[in-house]
Amino acid sequence: MDDAVLPGIPSPGAATEWALPLVTFAATAFGVLVAGITVTAAFLLPGDGPSVSAYGWMLLRRTAWPALGWAVSALALVVLTVSDVLAVPVGRLTSPSVVSFAFSVNQGQALLLQAALALVVAVLCRAGVSRRLAFAVAVLASAAVLPPAFTGHAASAGNHQIAVTSLAVHVLAASLWVGGLAGMLAVRRVRRFAETAARYSRLALGCFVATALSGVANAAVRLGELPALWTTRYGVLVLMKVLALVAVGLIGAWHRSRTLPLLAGGQPRAFLRLAVGELVVLGAAAGLAVALSRSPTPVVVDEPDPLVELLGFPMPAPPTALRMLGDPLPDLFFLTLVAAGIGFYLAGVWRLRREGHAWPVSRTASWVGGMLVLGAITGLGVARYAYVLFSAHMVQHMVLSMVVPILLVGGAPVTLALRALRRPRDPQVRGAREWLMLALHSRFARLLSHPVVALAVYVASLYGLYFGGLLGTLMRYHLGHLAMLTHFVLAGCLLFWVLIGVDPGRRRVHPALLTLVHFLAMVAHAFFGFVLLQATTVIGQDWYTAVHPPWASSLMADQRLGAGLAWAFGELPAAAIMLLLVRQWIRSDEREQARLDRAADRAEATGEEDDLARYNAFLAAAAARGTSGSSSATNEDEAPQTGRK
């Protein structure tokens, strides 16, 4: 294919054509460095009590400048992208066109958000030395690399349930991998560097696997067919990137088998030689990634279907039981979540049993069952119909907010993690267990675990989504849709963890109060269904009008069906939780009575009064004083009367 500009086709000018890929590469490089180095400072380096170490402080302060360069590059990309899209040189662009692109177009919004996050990271890098601040900076920097992944080829391609998520995972994993390596080079003189390098090696291995798998999934969506891998320019670039990835993987394997022992033996230069070579190959891979972002994909549609661009798939056929369960729509985000959740949980159980500790089979079954239900409701045919039918969406909502959380909470994952995770050898290093403990004992967790707060989050999200006008907006964007479904699960897990959870971190509340809170949740849920059933306006009308199937009933009829399902669906899980709470209430009273009986028996055997006996004696004394006082008052009243007679 000839890439030369055809006569009569407008061009943005040589400046834009040269500057756009260079600034894109600069923004990518800055983002990779900032994300990887902040993660190194927060998680890989040993600390100094509640503060980061001297090397960690140095890394954070030096990272402020790359973060600032990242913000400037992202803003420059806004201007250059407008020039490229409108085919107008930068010098002739008008301010309204740039502002409109930045605030109204998805790609501009993503770049503007990335610039804002990078600027916040630059400020926070110099705001303090606490480990919690370093944690927040690392999380923000990692999040800042993601917004552009939700626009471009992936967001506009069909089946973006896989394309968008796989690209986001690919970008994040590659950024932490490459940036972490740069961070390790900067701190190679830190004490006990061999242990720090070993922690990075484990991170790099996970990032390599995530990068490879997500890259394969993303390339499969964009290439469309296997021959396009070697017959198109895009496919050739993909092959070159695969070769670079394989080369880095081999270097990493050599690093793990040869370099780590040399580091432990006191030869720090071994890591320097290997890391420089690995960075060169990874830099070439990053350049290929920029070239891929500027290359058209082989999948070309002559007449794009607006519905496919909106949904990511064609309009489904009328629903049947077989299609609801047998016409899958896999979403890579939830598939990864389910696979990782089951894998890590079973690995924890295996570690406990290998060390001779028992773990209830019922908890394992509950967790695995919850994960499988989560994967089914977000990846089978019901997920496809949940995009176009309010009633199917409501079924998905009820399962995600009630059934899945009850099963997941029953698995006690926090208890398993605290028992299975190992402490780092260096006491100044915070591993996963230490961060989990800090989260459980934080003020934020203390606030969320209050029954009234958990109830408020659950109810407010229910009413706010459907009566606050948020449903249509969240359904329109893939990231918004993922955030909505994830929130359903998290809000349900929070409420049921407070009500029936066994994991540590929740408040100790009497079962009577928990029963009342659950009763209020049932009332709020039933009232929601009643109000929705009586509603005269369509919820999310802009979205459901655009995707309404020709074979479906009217929007209002489908909404009323969904309202009826919401009203009736929650009765069985709610009744089961109510019975469980009442049972806990009865058992709590029985345990308290048994404690009092044991205290009384112990007091009788030793001749000492117990608390109950002292309390009864206090009541008897108070009654005696009251009787004596009444008798005295009566005598005083009668004496004057006798004298008058």
Side-chain angles (χ1 to χ4, degrees), residues 452-468 470 487 491 524 528:
V452 176
V453 175
L455 175 64
V457 170
Y458 187 82
V459 174
S461 61
L462 185 67
Y463 284 83
L465 173 65
Y466 295 103
F467 300 126
L470 295 176
H487 178 76
F528 165 77

PDB file of all heavy atoms in Angstrom, residues 452-468 470 487 491 524 528:
ATOM      1  N   VAL A 452     -24.302   1.506  59.242  1.00  0.00           N
ATOM      2  CA  VAL A 452     -25.100   2.563  58.618  1.00  0.00           C
ATOM      3  C   VAL A 452     -24.421   3.060  57.339  1.00  0.00           C
ATOM      4  O   VAL A 452     -25.088   3.311  56.328  1.00  0.00           O
ATOM      5  CB  VAL A 452     -25.316   3.718  59.610  1.00  0.00           C
ATOM      6  CG1 VAL A 452     -26.064   4.870  58.940  1.00  0.00           C
ATOM      7  CG2 VAL A 452     -26.081   3.234  60.837  1.00  0.00           C
ATOM      8  N   VAL A 453     -23.088   3.173  57.350  1.00  0.00           N
ATOM      9  CA  VAL A 453     -22.362   3.619  56.162  1.00  0.00           C
ATOM     10  C   VAL A 453     -22.481   2.583  55.046  1.00  0.00           C
ATOM     11  O   VAL A 453     -22.720   2.927  53.882  1.00  0.00           O
ATOM     12  CB  VAL A 453     -20.892   3.891  56.503  1.00  0.00           C
ATOM     13  CG1 VAL A 453     -20.098   4.237  55.247  1.00  0.00           C
ATOM     14  CG2 VAL A 453     -20.781   5.018  57.518  1.00  0.00           C
ATOM     15  N   ALA A 454     -22.302   1.306  55.391  1.00  0.00           N
ATOM     16  CA  ALA A 454     -22.428   0.251  54.377  1.00  0.00           C
ATOM     17  C   ALA A 454     -23.826   0.242  53.774  1.00  0.00           C
ATOM     18  O   ALA A 454     -23.993   0.077  52.555  1.00  0.00           O
ATOM     19  CB  ALA A 454     -22.108  -1.105  55.000  1.00  0.00           C
ATOM     20  N   LEU A 455     -24.837   0.422  54.613  1.00  0.00           N
ATOM     21  CA  LEU A 455     -26.215   0.480  54.114  1.00  0.00           C
ATOM     22  C   LEU A 455     -26.409   1.693  53.219  1.00  0.00           C
ATOM     23  O   LEU A 455     -27.055   1.591  52.160  1.00  0.00           O
ATOM     24  CB  LEU A 455     -27.179   0.528  55.292  1.00  0.00           C
ATOM     25  CG  LEU A 455     -28.668   0.705  54.950  1.00  0.00           C
ATOM     26  CD1 LEU A 455     -29.175  -0.497  54.160  1.00  0.00           C
ATOM     27  CD2 LEU A 455     -29.484   0.895  56.225  1.00  0.00           C
ATOM     28  N   ALA A 456     -25.846   2.841  53.610  1.00  0.00           N
ATOM     29  CA  ALA A 456     -26.002   4.055  52.816  1.00  0.00           C
ATOM     30  C   ALA A 456     -25.348   3.907  51.445  1.00  0.00           C
ATOM     31  O   ALA A 456     -25.906   4.342  50.431  1.00  0.00           O
ATOM     32  CB  ALA A 456     -25.406   5.244  53.565  1.00  0.00           C
ATOM     33  N   VAL A 457     -24.154   3.303  51.398  1.00  0.00           N
ATOM     34  CA  VAL A 457     -23.478   3.098  50.113  1.00  0.00           C
ATOM     35  C   VAL A 457     -24.314   2.202  49.200  1.00  0.00           C
ATOM     36  O   VAL A 457     -24.490   2.482  48.006  1.00  0.00           O
ATOM     37  CB  VAL A 457     -22.077   2.489  50.343  1.00  0.00           C
ATOM     38  CG1 VAL A 457     -21.458   2.048  49.022  1.00  0.00           C
ATOM     39  CG2 VAL A 457     -21.177   3.485  51.043  1.00  0.00           C
ATOM     40  N   TYR A 458     -24.858   1.134  49.756  1.00  0.00           N
ATOM     41  CA  TYR A 458     -25.644   0.182  48.969  1.00  0.00           C
ATOM     42  C   TYR A 458     -26.919   0.835  48.429  1.00  0.00           C
ATOM     43  O   TYR A 458     -27.247   0.708  47.243  1.00  0.00           O
ATOM     44  CB  TYR A 458     -25.986  -1.020  49.841  1.00  0.00           C
ATOM     45  CG  TYR A 458     -26.657  -2.157  49.107  1.00  0.00           C
ATOM     46  CD1 TYR A 458     -25.915  -3.083  48.390  1.00  0.00           C
ATOM     47  CD2 TYR A 458     -28.034  -2.309  49.138  1.00  0.00           C
ATOM     48  CE1 TYR A 458     -26.522  -4.132  47.719  1.00  0.00           C
ATOM     49  CE2 TYR A 458     -28.659  -3.357  48.476  1.00  0.00           C
ATOM     50  CZ  TYR A 458     -27.903  -4.263  47.772  1.00  0.00           C
ATOM     51  OH  TYR A 458     -28.523  -5.295  47.104  1.00  0.00           O
ATOM     52  N   VAL A 459     -27.629   1.542  49.284  1.00  0.00           N
ATOM     53  CA  VAL A 459     -28.912   2.132  48.883  1.00  0.00           C
ATOM     54  C   VAL A 459     -28.699   3.335  47.972  1.00  0.00           C
ATOM     55  O   VAL A 459     -29.403   3.498  46.967  1.00  0.00           O
ATOM     56  CB  VAL A 459     -29.727   2.523  50.131  1.00  0.00           C
ATOM     57  CG1 VAL A 459     -31.004   3.264  49.724  1.00  0.00           C
ATOM     58  CG2 VAL A 459     -30.080   1.277  50.941  1.00  0.00           C
ATOM     59  N   ALA A 460     -27.715   4.190  48.302  1.00  0.00           N
ATOM     60  CA  ALA A 460     -27.479   5.381  47.494  1.00  0.00           C
ATOM     61  C   ALA A 460     -27.046   5.017  46.077  1.00  0.00           C
ATOM     62  O   ALA A 460     -27.458   5.665  45.107  1.00  0.00           O
ATOM     63  CB  ALA A 460     -26.422   6.260  48.153  1.00  0.00           C
ATOM     64  N   SER A 461     -26.230   3.986  45.939  1.00  0.00           N
ATOM     65  CA  SER A 461     -25.819   3.573  44.597  1.00  0.00           C
ATOM     66  C   SER A 461     -26.994   3.008  43.809  1.00  0.00           C
ATOM     67  O   SER A 461     -27.073   3.180  42.590  1.00  0.00           O
ATOM     68  CB  SER A 461     -24.706   2.534  44.694  1.00  0.00           C
ATOM     69  OG  SER A 461     -25.136   1.374  45.389  1.00  0.00           O
ATOM     70  N   LEU A 462     -27.922   2.355  44.489  1.00  0.00           N
ATOM     71  CA  LEU A 462     -29.091   1.789  43.814  1.00  0.00           C
ATOM     72  C   LEU A 462     -29.987   2.888  43.270  1.00  0.00           C
ATOM     73  O   LEU A 462     -30.362   2.886  42.089  1.00  0.00           O
ATOM     74  CB  LEU A 462     -29.853   0.897  44.795  1.00  0.00           C
ATOM     75  CG  LEU A 462     -31.042   0.120  44.238  1.00  0.00           C
ATOM     76  CD1 LEU A 462     -30.577  -0.926  43.238  1.00  0.00           C
ATOM     77  CD2 LEU A 462     -31.819  -0.537  45.371  1.00  0.00           C
ATOM     78  N   TYR A 463     -30.325   3.853  44.130  1.00  0.00           N
ATOM     79  CA  TYR A 463     -31.231   4.919  43.709  1.00  0.00           C
ATOM     80  C   TYR A 463     -30.519   5.940  42.824  1.00  0.00           C
ATOM     81  O   TYR A 463     -31.110   6.465  41.876  1.00  0.00           O
ATOM     82  CB  TYR A 463     -31.816   5.613  44.944  1.00  0.00           C
ATOM     83  CG  TYR A 463     -32.898   4.821  45.628  1.00  0.00           C
ATOM     84  CD1 TYR A 463     -32.584   3.809  46.526  1.00  0.00           C
ATOM     85  CD2 TYR A 463     -34.237   5.070  45.367  1.00  0.00           C
ATOM     86  CE1 TYR A 463     -33.566   3.072  47.161  1.00  0.00           C
ATOM     87  CE2 TYR A 463     -35.236   4.337  46.004  1.00  0.00           C
ATOM     88  CZ  TYR A 463     -34.897   3.333  46.893  1.00  0.00           C
ATOM     89  OH  TYR A 463     -35.878   2.603  47.504  1.00  0.00           O
ATOM     90  N   GLY A 464     -29.249   6.254  43.144  1.00  0.00           N
ATOM     91  CA  GLY A 464     -28.539   7.257  42.373  1.00  0.00           C
ATOM     92  C   GLY A 464     -28.304   6.856  40.929  1.00  0.00           C
ATOM     93  O   GLY A 464     -28.360   7.696  40.029  1.00  0.00           O
ATOM     94  N   LEU A 465     -28.049   5.574  40.693  1.00  0.00           N
ATOM     95  CA  LEU A 465     -27.784   5.113  39.330  1.00  0.00           C
ATOM     96  C   LEU A 465     -29.008   5.265  38.442  1.00  0.00           C
ATOM     97  O   LEU A 465     -28.922   5.800  37.333  1.00  0.00           O
ATOM     98  CB  LEU A 465     -27.325   3.653  39.361  1.00  0.00           C
ATOM     99  CG  LEU A 465     -27.157   2.975  38.005  1.00  0.00           C
ATOM    100  CD1 LEU A 465     -26.041   3.627  37.211  1.00  0.00           C
ATOM    101  CD2 LEU A 465     -26.889   1.484  38.164  1.00  0.00           C
ATOM    102  N   TYR A 466     -30.144   4.812  38.927  1.00  0.00           N
ATOM    103  CA  TYR A 466     -31.331   4.745  38.071  1.00  0.00           C
ATOM    104  C   TYR A 466     -32.176   6.011  38.099  1.00  0.00           C
ATOM    105  O   TYR A 466     -32.825   6.338  37.108  1.00  0.00           O
ATOM    106  CB  TYR A 466     -32.181   3.544  38.488  1.00  0.00           C
ATOM    107  CG  TYR A 466     -31.477   2.231  38.247  1.00  0.00           C
ATOM    108  CD1 TYR A 466     -30.898   1.532  39.295  1.00  0.00           C
ATOM    109  CD2 TYR A 466     -31.347   1.720  36.966  1.00  0.00           C
ATOM    110  CE1 TYR A 466     -30.230   0.334  39.078  1.00  0.00           C
ATOM    111  CE2 TYR A 466     -30.680   0.532  36.731  1.00  0.00           C
ATOM    112  CZ  TYR A 466     -30.120  -0.154  37.798  1.00  0.00           C
ATOM    113  OH  TYR A 466     -29.450  -1.331  37.574  1.00  0.00           O
ATOM    114  N   PHE A 467     -32.165   6.736  39.209  1.00  0.00           N
ATOM    115  CA  PHE A 467     -32.975   7.950  39.288  1.00  0.00           C
ATOM    116  C   PHE A 467     -32.129   9.212  39.217  1.00  0.00           C
ATOM    117  O   PHE A 467     -32.672  10.312  39.274  1.00  0.00           O
ATOM    118  CB  PHE A 467     -33.799   7.950  40.580  1.00  0.00           C
ATOM    119  CG  PHE A 467     -34.735   6.784  40.691  1.00  0.00           C
ATOM    120  CD1 PHE A 467     -34.707   5.955  41.796  1.00  0.00           C
ATOM    121  CD2 PHE A 467     -35.636   6.490  39.682  1.00  0.00           C
ATOM    122  CE1 PHE A 467     -35.560   4.874  41.900  1.00  0.00           C
ATOM    123  CE2 PHE A 467     -36.491   5.412  39.770  1.00  0.00           C
ATOM    124  CZ  PHE A 467     -36.457   4.597  40.877  1.00  0.00           C
ATOM    125  N   GLY A 468     -30.807   9.050  39.108  1.00  0.00           N
ATOM    126  CA  GLY A 468     -29.930  10.211  38.990  1.00  0.00           C
ATOM    127  C   GLY A 468     -29.442  10.460  37.579  1.00  0.00           C
ATOM    128  O   GLY A 468     -28.584  11.330  37.367  1.00  0.00           O
ATOM    129  N   LEU A 470     -27.614   8.473  35.603  1.00  0.00           N
ATOM    130  CA  LEU A 470     -26.266   7.986  35.317  1.00  0.00           C
ATOM    131  C   LEU A 470     -26.239   6.756  34.414  1.00  0.00           C
ATOM    132  O   LEU A 470     -25.213   6.464  33.806  1.00  0.00           O
ATOM    133  CB  LEU A 470     -25.539   7.654  36.628  1.00  0.00           C
ATOM    134  CG  LEU A 470     -25.258   8.823  37.572  1.00  0.00           C
ATOM    135  CD1 LEU A 470     -24.624   8.310  38.857  1.00  0.00           C
ATOM    136  CD2 LEU A 470     -24.354   9.843  36.904  1.00  0.00           C
ATOM    137  N   HIS A 487     -18.807  -1.814  40.641  1.00  0.00           N
ATOM    138  CA  HIS A 487     -19.401  -1.171  41.815  1.00  0.00           C
ATOM    139  C   HIS A 487     -20.540  -2.012  42.389  1.00  0.00           C
ATOM    140  O   HIS A 487     -20.709  -2.075  43.614  1.00  0.00           O
ATOM    141  CB  HIS A 487     -19.910   0.216  41.449  1.00  0.00           C
ATOM    142  CG  HIS A 487     -20.584   0.921  42.585  1.00  0.00           C
ATOM    143  ND1 HIS A 487     -19.894   1.492  43.618  1.00  0.00           N
ATOM    144  CD2 HIS A 487     -21.903   1.113  42.859  1.00  0.00           C
ATOM    145  CE1 HIS A 487     -20.743   2.023  44.483  1.00  0.00           C
ATOM    146  NE2 HIS A 487     -21.967   1.810  44.040  1.00  0.00           N
ATOM    147  N   ALA A 491     -20.163  -2.855  46.289  1.00  0.00           N
ATOM    148  CA  ALA A 491     -21.167  -2.366  47.240  1.00  0.00           C
ATOM    149  C   ALA A 491     -21.864  -3.525  47.932  1.00  0.00           C
ATOM    150  O   ALA A 491     -22.124  -3.479  49.142  1.00  0.00           O
ATOM    151  CB  ALA A 491     -22.187  -1.485  46.508  1.00  0.00           C
ATOM    152  N   ALA A 524     -35.676  -0.832  51.620  1.00  0.00           N
ATOM    153  CA  ALA A 524     -35.209   0.078  50.574  1.00  0.00           C
ATOM    154  C   ALA A 524     -35.212  -0.603  49.212  1.00  0.00           C
ATOM    155  O   ALA A 524     -35.566   0.012  48.196  1.00  0.00           O
ATOM    156  CB  ALA A 524     -33.801   0.573  50.912  1.00  0.00           C
ATOM    157  N   PHE A 528     -37.586   0.446  46.109  1.00  0.00           N
ATOM    158  CA  PHE A 528     -36.990   0.760  44.811  1.00  0.00           C
ATOM    159  C   PHE A 528     -37.747   0.055  43.687  1.00  0.00           C
ATOM    160  O   PHE A 528     -38.072   0.667  42.664  1.00  0.00           O
ATOM    161  CB  PHE A 528     -35.521   0.346  44.804  1.00  0.00           C
ATOM    162  CG  PHE A 528     -34.913   0.287  43.432  1.00  0.00           C
ATOM    163  CD1 PHE A 528     -34.546   1.434  42.767  1.00  0.00           C
ATOM    164  CD2 PHE A 528     -34.716  -0.937  42.794  1.00  0.00           C
ATOM    165  CE1 PHE A 528     -33.995   1.384  41.498  1.00  0.00           C
ATOM    166  CE2 PHE A 528     -34.165  -1.003  41.529  1.00  0.00           C
ATOM    167  CZ  PHE A 528     -33.802   0.167  40.871  1.00  0.00           C
TER     168      PHE A 528
END
